Amino acid sequence: MSVRSKRSRKPLHIALVYNAASGLVPETPEDRGSMADLLKMIRHMSRAMRSLGHRVTILPLADDLFVFHRKLLRLNPDVVFNQYDDVVHGVFDEMLFAAIVQMMGFRVTGSPALALGLSRYKHTTSRLLQGLGIPIPPCTEVLEKVSEVDRHEWRFPLIVQPCHEDAGIGLNRNSVVRTKTALRNQVRHVLQEFKQPAIVQLFLPGREFNVGIVGGKRLRRMPLAEVCYHDMPPEIPPIMSYAAKWLENTIEYKKTSIICPAEVEPQLADQLYDIALRAFRAVGAWGYGRVDIRLDEEGIPRVLEVNCNASLEHDIGLARAAKKAGISYPELLQMVIDAAMEDAPHIGSAPMQSLERVQ
């Protein structure tokens, strides 16, 4: 993005919204998924967008939706920059938030409510992708009772996780199981701890990739990133668990690394990009996101997850991949805003009447 293009772009009033509510799990200083880290990211995003000439109002949303509703109406922003994430296991407020903002008549960054909700139903998303010919891990099943383990023929090892979580929540050292007894125990743990079904899939032994995507009607692919587990001790499963993502003092965090851009032969790179773009579009994602893909024992890429509104934290994940493509952090956020200003083909333009009239 040149200086000239920065100056010619119309400055916008942006409401930067985040979830200010507390979660169920006590936060620790080493947890990079804490409220302190979220606030740090929000401040960084605000500074980056202001450097582009935009006026940014940071707007927290905790428990009082009516207060938030009044504030947003009074602000009347050009676009709502959605950084609202769920902090309670098994809830879908992230989807509801996007729906409310859209129904109020405001443009919102990232994916629409339907895509956010669909991507959190991991089993439904997997079946959708499978029906469209997009490869997913074999043995994908959703279990609502421990007794349902005996209804299926299994190939081991398997990976077990909560059906409606993201960000590595519910993935730990016991998540990869090699016996039916261990499978029952882990399914029971998910059902009791997270109060939701467990999704079970064949554990794939191959390389793991993150494919970043940015844009609206025209999508831009980011350089491929590979998750490297080569230094992980053999007793710890090579998976992107919660500890590997967020807990800085753990072996998982210290021994998991990201290679970006990944060293990938052109034919495999083309496969990864094709599968990722098809999966992104299949769930109705928009604006930005990340598709996680892992290779099976035959080297076939299979979609693990579609992350509609992936983390926009500076210098990691999507931002790191964008930087490798020569896209600065402010430029990346501008691309997300530009996508929100487009008219998505699956989003209507008839907002509901406001809950109350602004005096």
Side-chain angles (χ1 to χ4, degrees):
M1 184 185 300
S2 66
V3 174
R4 181 179 178 181
S5 64
K6 286 183 184 179
R7 291 176 179 173
S8 61
R9 180 176 276 112
K10 177 184 175 182
L12 300 173
H13 181 197
I14 299 170
L16 176 55
V17 181
Y18 71 94
N19 190 345
S22 299
L24 292 177
V25 181
E27 295 179 352
T28 56
E30 68 273 11
D31 190 342
R32 296 197 63 252
S34 67
M35 179 61 71
D37 283 272
L38 171 62
L39 293 175
K40 180 179 178 181
M41 183 187 76
I42 292 297
R43 289 192 293 266
H44 200 146
M45 293 178 69
S46 177
R47 288 194 296 268
M49 288 187 282
R50 285 170 179 148
S51 73
L52 296 169
H54 300 305
R55 180 162 66 97
V56 180
T57 301
I58 298 176
L59 186 57
L61 169 56
D63 302 316
D64 197 328
L65 181 60
F66 286 96
V67 171
F68 171 81
H69 180 272
R70 290 195 298 269
K71 288 181 179 179
L72 190 59
L73 285 176
R74 290 191 178 100
L75 286 174
N76 193 29
D78 297 299
V79 63
V80 175
F81 205 113
N82 181 9
Q83 288 297 285
Y84 187 92
D85 288 322
D86 293 325
V87 294
V88 178
H89 298 324
V91 302
F92 294 88
D93 289 348
E94 182 179 356
M95 173 185 69
L96 297 175
F97 171 80
I100 289 169
V101 173
Q102 290 169 345
M103 291 168 71
M104 291 174 66
F106 295 107
R107 296 181 181 270
V108 60
T109 60
S111 290
L114 180 59
L116 292 171
L118 179 60
S119 62
R120 288 288 294 276
Y121 276 88
K122 296 179 186 294
H123 182 256
T124 304
T125 298
S126 294
R127 292 306 187 202
L128 170 65
L129 299 181
Q130 186 179 44
L132 293 172
I134 300 171
I136 64 170
C139 298
T140 296
E141 301 290 348
V142 61
L143 305 182
E144 298 184 22
K145 299 178 181 178
V146 177
S147 61
E148 293 177 355
V149 167
D150 296 323
R151 295 183 181 177
H152 305 279
E153 294 292 331
W154 302 105
R155 290 166 51 194
F156 290 93
L158 297 162
I159 184 167
V160 185
Q161 58 185 311
C163 201
H164 305 318
E165 302 295 340
D166 60 359
I169 294 172
L171 284 173
N172 55 45
R173 296 184 184 187
N174 297 320
S175 295
V176 177
V177 299
R178 301 181 183 276
T179 67
K180 188 170 283 190
T181 298
L183 173 58
R184 288 193 187 95
N185 291 338
Q186 195 60 21
V187 169
R188 183 180 294 108
H189 168 74
V190 169
L191 296 175
Q192 294 176 350
E193 179 71 20
F194 297 95
K195 313 300 181 187
Q196 60 187 272
I199 184 170
V200 181
Q201 297 178 306
L202 185 70
F203 174 69
L204 306 180
R207 300 166 70 185
E208 183 173 332
F209 298 95
N210 301 149
V211 186
I213 300 170
V214 183
K217 296 175 182 177
R218 296 184 61 184
L219 297 177
R220 180 163 179 176
R221 312 173 308 179
M222 296 296 109
L224 295 171
E226 181 173 2
V227 185
C228 181
Y229 302 105
H230 297 324
D231 296 329
M232 192 75 73
E235 67 272 14
I236 300 177
I239 59 175
M240 188 55 75
S241 62
Y242 187 86
K245 280 179 174 285
W246 306 110
L247 302 182
E248 291 182 317
N249 64 344
T250 63
I251 297 175
E252 288 92 330
Y253 188 95
K254 295 174 182 178
K255 299 299 183 180
T256 301
S257 58
I258 305 295
I259 302 172
C260 185
E263 296 183 5
V264 182
E265 54 274 22
Q267 183 177 0
L268 177 57
D270 289 342
Q271 283 184 289
L272 293 170
Y273 280 129
D274 175 68
I275 289 172
L277 290 171
R278 288 166 60 200
F280 189 80
R281 286 302 197 203
V283 302
W286 187 266
Y288 68 104
R290 190 189 74 243
V291 180
D292 299 335
I293 299 175
R294 195 156 182 162
L295 307 187
D296 65 14
E297 65 276 6
E298 297 178 356
I300 297 174
R302 297 182 181 271
V303 175
L304 301 180
E305 191 168 3
V306 180
N307 297 275
C308 288
N309 288 5
S311 172
L312 287 173
E313 186 173 353
H314 185 256
D315 276 344
I316 71 168
L318 193 61
R320 172 175 49 214
K323 186 176 181 180
K324 295 297 182 179
I327 301 170
S328 70
Y329 188 61
E331 290 170 348
L332 172 62
L333 299 185
Q334 184 62 60
M335 292 170 68
V336 172
I337 295 168
D338 289 343
M341 300 303 289
E342 294 183 31
D343 292 322
H346 47 276
I347 300 176
S349 58
M352 289 183 62
Q353 186 175 356
S354 299
L355 294 177
E356 62 183 27
R357 186 180 301 275
V358 179
Q359 300 298 324

